[in-house]
Amino acid sequence: MFEQVVFYFFAAVLVVAGALVITVRNPVHAALCLVLAFFTSAAIWLLLEAEFLAIALVLVYVGAVMVLFLFVVMMLDVNLVPLREGFIRYLPIGIGIAVVVLVELVVVLGGDRFDLLPAPEPHPADYSNTRELGQVLYTVYVYPFEIASLILLVAIVAAIALTLRRREGRRGQRPEEQVRVRRADRVRLVRMPAVRREGLAEGGGGRAAAPGGETAPEAGE
């Protein structure tokens, strides 16, 4: 009974946090609500004895991805006025799509089409969720896992290639040119004649002496 109460509590918090992500007007607040949703999902996974997935969700998404999103949103200084106008404009479309998704979930999960699984039985103290997940991942699903890793590798290489392509007007560093640079290419020594000012000790009303010894006229003469 206690586990069901805790589950429904975290489920309610998750639903509210997910709704706030798409309804709040401040992007920073939306990112913080998404962090709350991730933490609540991790808590639900802990109730299902999926400790590895819960820790991975907190470390990867909350600790890295969401922090990066939060810093990017705060540094971009997004204009909120167009966002508010677009939210009101596309609200009926969003409500319609949400209703369609809800009907599909009821059709799939309700009735005899989907049998609800019972709660998992408690495992002994020496049970390792990480070991069980690794055995299934690297035995039964080893080929899909390798294919997914290759797809991610190709995506990383493509992203780097698109970032480093040559464009006109693009500024960037060139290490090969920085290594070959010489002092004569960056520093220029200029000789200028010394200028002596007379009468500074008597009150600062003197005139500057020109290089030839003549007194330079003051401004306005």
Side-chain angles (χ1 to χ4, degrees):
M1 182 63 183
F2 177 73
E3 294 183 357
Q4 293 182 355
V5 172
V6 174
F7 171 78
Y8 284 115
F9 170 75
F10 284 121
V13 174
L14 179 59
V15 172
V16 173
L20 290 177
V21 171
I22 60 176
T23 55
V24 295
R25 298 180 177 180
N26 194 330
V28 178
H29 296 167
L32 294 176
C33 292
L34 189 56
V35 171
L36 176 61
F38 284 150
F39 270 111
T40 311
S41 301
I44 295 177
W45 284 355
L46 285 176
L47 292 177
L48 298 176
E49 298 186 2
E51 296 86 2
F52 177 78
L53 297 179
I55 295 175
L57 179 63
V58 173
L59 293 180
V60 176
Y61 285 93
V62 179
V65 178
M66 283 311 306
V67 174
L68 179 62
F69 285 174
L70 187 60
F71 274 100
V72 170
V73 169
M74 294 177 65
M75 288 188 299
L76 287 180
D77 193 13
V78 182
N79 189 7
L80 301 180
V81 176
L83 295 179
R84 295 174 183 176
E85 296 176 354
F87 178 80
I88 300 299
R89 183 185 308 171
Y90 298 107
L91 182 60
I93 300 176
I95 294 177
I97 295 176
V99 171
V100 172
V101 172
L102 182 61
V103 171
E104 292 179 352
L105 290 177
V106 171
V107 172
V108 173
L109 301 179
D112 299 333
R113 300 177 182 272
F114 188 84
D115 296 331
L116 295 178
L117 299 176
E121 298 180 359
H123 296 281
D126 58 347
Y127 175 78
S128 177
N129 177 259
T130 306
R131 182 175 65 249
E132 295 294 333
L133 182 62
Q135 289 179 357
V136 175
L137 187 63
Y138 293 107
T139 56
V140 181
Y141 299 102
V142 60
Y143 290 112
F145 178 77
E146 295 296 334
I147 293 174
S149 62
L150 289 177
I151 293 175
L152 290 177
L153 179 61
V154 172
I156 293 173
V157 174
I160 295 175
L162 291 176
T163 304
L164 297 179
R165 64 180 179 178
R166 300 291 182 180
R167 301 184 199 146
E168 296 183 359
R170 177 177 174 271
R171 297 181 179 181
Q173 293 184 349
R174 296 181 180 179
E176 65 277 4
E177 296 183 0
Q178 295 178 353
V179 172
R180 295 195 303 264
V181 71
R182 297 176 301 174
R183 190 189 67 172
D185 300 333
R186 294 290 186 266
V187 180
R188 186 181 60 166
L189 300 179
V190 179
R191 295 183 178 273
M192 298 181 62
V195 178
R196 184 183 58 175
R197 291 183 176 273
E198 299 178 354
L200 295 179
E202 288 78 11
R207 301 179 179 180
E214 301 178 354
T215 303
E218 294 183 355
E221 294 185 359

